[in-house]
Structures are given as structure tokens and as C-alpha cells.
Amino acid sequence: MDLQARIDAFVNLGDFLKNEDNQSVIEEWADRASHQNNWFTLENTRKSIQSIADFYLDRNLLESWAGLYEIPDRPQIIKSIGVIMAGNIPAVGFHDLLTVVISGHECVAKVSSQDSVLMLALIEKLLEINPALGIRISEKMNEVDALIATGSDNSARYFEYYFRNKPHIIRQNRSSVAILNSNETEDDFLNLGKDITDYYGLGCRNISKFYVPQDYDFVNFYDSIESLGDIFYHNKYKNNYDYNKSIYLVNQVHHYDNGFLILTENDSLVSPISVIFYEVYQNKEDLSQKISANTDKIQCIVSKEAWFEGSIPFGETQKPKLWDYADGVDTMLFLLSLND
């Protein structure tokens, strides 16, 4: 199958997802996904599907992305690429599947038990659109030619050992950070709040850490995100909030609290659900050193109007482009290198 046919299949999937006449089908997918995983609310599942349709399955974006590389119509030797998918947010493994198929190789997908409903529905629809697409589902990865895997730090060590003799991309835990400088507006804070609370903060692109100047006042931040407080009504989120708040109170840990989001000073990058860690920087040089020391663990950096080098604006973390690769590793380049 040539490259254009592969692109056409994904564009057709995007058209299907955007078509109002198909919303009853998508609602049924979302309903089944929410029963499989309580974190996958109808709203979050719809949001994920819409983001895939808007940012991944637009013809102009797909063709522009493909144009960045020398992608063969069909590789001389088609490799089977195992893709072990995460399941922390709805359809989070879709980008890897898309990249493998567009590269011309076969995607051997191991979907997460936490996200099998939505991923399998999308794959089934893709194969209905074009049965010749190289996609199959498998629990075993022992016969693949190369591997792309996403998981925890512990599972990454296992993957690294087990697939040490095969080309691979192994992703570990990452988190995202925000840099504040006291020039933020109410709209900035609201967008930052969405970067924190979208998908209940479960994604590696969700903000879990603030870097702030000395004596930073969080009052305006809290006032600006008040409208996002409905997140508290999700039972699992509320349980996490109640637990973390009680721990800080019992241990007399200094913290700020607005009733649904806790802020506490901590050098760590990864904060518990419902908590944001913050760390004080003295000047831009000090800030740069703190960021550089954690480069291998940071997925995204946000700042007002992207003033900090390498950052993106507030509100953009859950809108990745096709070329925004996880962990900064160019997955398409890796796949094309297998043709050499």
C-alpha cells in the first residue's frame, strides 16, 4: 500500500470522528470506556477523541508531517513493530500506532488493559476503512523486529533487558512543569489550570510542578482556576485529594489549598494526584540550572507566551502536534532507520 493510501485511511478516520451523524457510535465507545476505567469519564474520552481528530487526522497536518521525512511508499522489507501502549489517558497509544503505519511497517499492538475499549474501537474502524493497513493485536512481543514501549520506570527496566538485542524505544516516567514569573494574567492561570486538571492530571503532559520566584503569591492563581473545581466531584480524584490533605495536616507540612488542589514546596518533579509541587528559583540562571538537571525527566515546559526557551504557552500541553514526540525521541526517524 502506498503512502498516500495510508494517509487517506487516517484522514477518513478523522472524517468519521468529526461527523455529527456518527456521534452516537462515539458516545457508545465513550460509555464502554468509562465502564472499563473510571478515570475515563465521558467528557475526557470525548476530549481525547476530538483532539486525535483535530491534531492528528487532518490531511494538511498529516501531509506536512510526512513531508518532513523521506517515507517510502512501501519499505523494501516491512518490519513488524511491537507497540506496548500505556493506558493512563484515553487512546494515549494512538500516536505510536499512527506513526508505525504511516512509516510503512506493520504495527503489532499490545493495548493496555486500562484502555482496550477505545483503542480497539479505533483500530477496528481503521481496518474497516482499509483492511490492508498493517495493524494486528497481540499479547506477545517475542517475534517483533523492533519495539516501542511506554510504561513505568520499573517496566522500562524489564523492557530494556528483554529487548536489549532488538532496536527499541523505551519510555519511562516523565512529568511536565510550569515556569511562573509574576507576570501571569487571569487567562494565563486558567489555561495553566487546564494543563493541570485535564484528564485529572494523569498524563505525562499534565503539569505537576511549578518553578516560582521568591515570595510568589498564589492567590491570583487560585482565584483564576475556581471554575475548574468540578474536578473534585470525581470520586477517585476526591479520594486522592482527601488522602493527601490529611497526610499534610497530620505531618504539619506547610501547604496551600483551595478545596480541590493543593500546593506544597517540594524539590521532586512528580506530585501525587490533586497536588502540585513548587520550587523557588533565585534568577534565570538558577532556573535554567534546575531545569537542565531534570531534562531527562521533563516532558513539557510551559510559561507565559513561551518566554522560557524550549517551553510552550499555557493551555497547550494536551494539544500535541504530530511532530511532538514523547520524550523528545523522533519515533518516525527511528522507524525509517530500520529500512537501512
Side-chain angles (χ1 to χ4, degrees):
M1 183 191 309
D2 63 26
L3 173 60
Q4 194 58 56
R6 300 195 297 272
I7 290 175
D8 288 345
F10 284 99
V11 172
N12 289 338
L13 175 62
D15 292 341
F16 174 86
L17 297 178
K18 295 173 188 176
N19 191 325
E20 288 294 330
D21 293 339
N22 300 322
Q23 293 312 299
S24 61
V25 175
I26 293 171
E27 285 296 304
E28 190 266 336
W29 293 356
D31 183 63
R32 288 195 293 121
S34 68
H35 282 87
Q36 179 187 42
N37 186 335
N38 290 335
W39 286 112
F40 290 9
T41 61
L42 294 176
E43 178 186 3
N44 279 343
T45 305
R46 291 190 204 106
K47 183 188 301 180
S48 177
I49 292 171
Q50 189 65 50
S51 294
I52 287 171
D54 289 344
F55 302 118
Y56 290 168
L57 304 180
D58 174 84
R59 181 178 296 279
N60 290 332
L61 291 176
L62 280 165
E63 292 181 348
S64 296
W65 175 50
L68 299 174
Y69 307 90
E70 294 182 6
I71 302 176
D73 268 355
R74 189 178 183 88
Q76 291 183 347
I77 300 177
I78 295 176
K79 303 290 181 69
S80 59
I81 313 299
V83 178
I84 300 177
M85 299 179 178
N88 49 326
I89 64 176
V92 69
F94 187 83
H95 186 266
D96 282 335
L97 178 144
L98 166 65
T99 309
V100 172
V101 174
I102 293 298
S103 76
H105 293 302
E106 177 193 38
C107 179
V108 183
K110 185 181 188 302
V111 299
S112 168
S113 61
Q114 299 298 307
D115 186 28
S116 62
V117 168
L118 187 54
M119 278 306 309
L120 291 176
L122 290 167
I123 290 170
E124 181 180 339
K125 178 54 63 176
L126 267 172
L127 293 176
E128 180 183 313
I129 291 169
N130 191 330
L133 289 174
I135 306 171
R136 60 185 172 93
I137 308 300
S138 178
E139 286 295 310
K140 297 181 179 180
M141 296 284 125
N142 52 308
E143 295 183 359
V144 299
D145 298 309
L147 183 84
I148 301 169
T150 305
S152 66
D153 288 349
N154 286 335
S155 61
R157 283 190 286 271
Y158 166 78
F159 295 146
E160 287 280 5
Y161 175 78
Y162 192 81
F163 295 99
R164 63 192 182 279
N165 296 323
K166 295 185 178 182
H168 58 256
I169 293 175
I170 309 294
R171 305 191 187 108
Q172 303 181 37
N173 288 338
R174 288 211 176 200
S175 56
S176 297
V177 303
I179 295 172
L180 308 183
N181 63 2
S182 300
N183 293 322
E184 293 78 22
T185 66
E186 182 177 339
D187 286 342
D188 291 330
F189 285 136
L190 182 58
N191 285 326
L192 173 57
K194 293 174 182 177
D195 288 333
I196 296 167
T197 60
D198 278 356
Y199 306 111
Y200 299 105
L202 292 167
C204 63
R205 300 181 68 89
N206 285 105
I207 302 301
S208 60
K209 173 75 174 278
F210 289 174
Y211 289 96
V212 299
Q214 193 74 42
D215 299 323
Y216 192 85
D217 188 350
F218 293 107
V219 172
N220 290 336
F221 166 71
Y222 271 141
D223 287 346
S224 300
I225 66 167
E226 187 176 350
S227 61
L228 303 177
D230 284 353
I231 192 174
F232 185 73
Y233 297 112
H234 187 281
N235 187 55
K236 283 192 170 184
Y237 183 90
K238 181 181 184 299
N239 288 342
N240 276 272
Y241 168 84
D242 289 341
Y243 172 78
N244 289 313
K245 181 176 180 177
S246 66
I247 292 296
Y248 291 144
L249 289 173
V250 168
N251 293 326
Q252 298 184 330
V253 175
H254 177 69
H255 63 280
Y256 302 94
D257 179 17
N258 70 342
F260 66 88
L261 185 67
I262 298 166
L263 282 162
T264 188
E265 189 168 7
N266 194 304
D267 291 346
S268 299
L269 284 178
V270 182
S271 59
I273 293 170
S274 77
V275 177
I276 298 295
F277 290 155
Y278 72 87
E279 185 174 347
V280 173
Y281 64 89
Q282 302 301 321
N283 48 48
K284 190 173 180 180
E285 181 181 359
D286 179 42
L287 172 61
S288 296
Q289 289 176 352
K290 291 177 184 295
I291 296 294
S292 296
N294 291 295
T295 298
D296 292 343
K297 287 293 183 180
I298 294 175
Q299 190 70 262
C300 300
I301 305 171
V302 295
S303 63
K304 179 181 176 65
E305 299 174 355
W307 70 266
F308 187 81
E309 183 178 359
S311 68
I312 59 177
F314 296 132
E316 297 295 313
T317 61
Q318 297 301 338
K319 301 175 183 178
K321 308 298 187 295
L322 285 162
W323 43 86
D324 289 334
Y325 298 104
D327 293 13
V329 177
D330 191 321
T331 312
M332 182 64 81
L333 207 58
F334 164 76
L335 292 166
L336 295 178
S337 73
L338 302 176
N339 299 329
D340 298 337

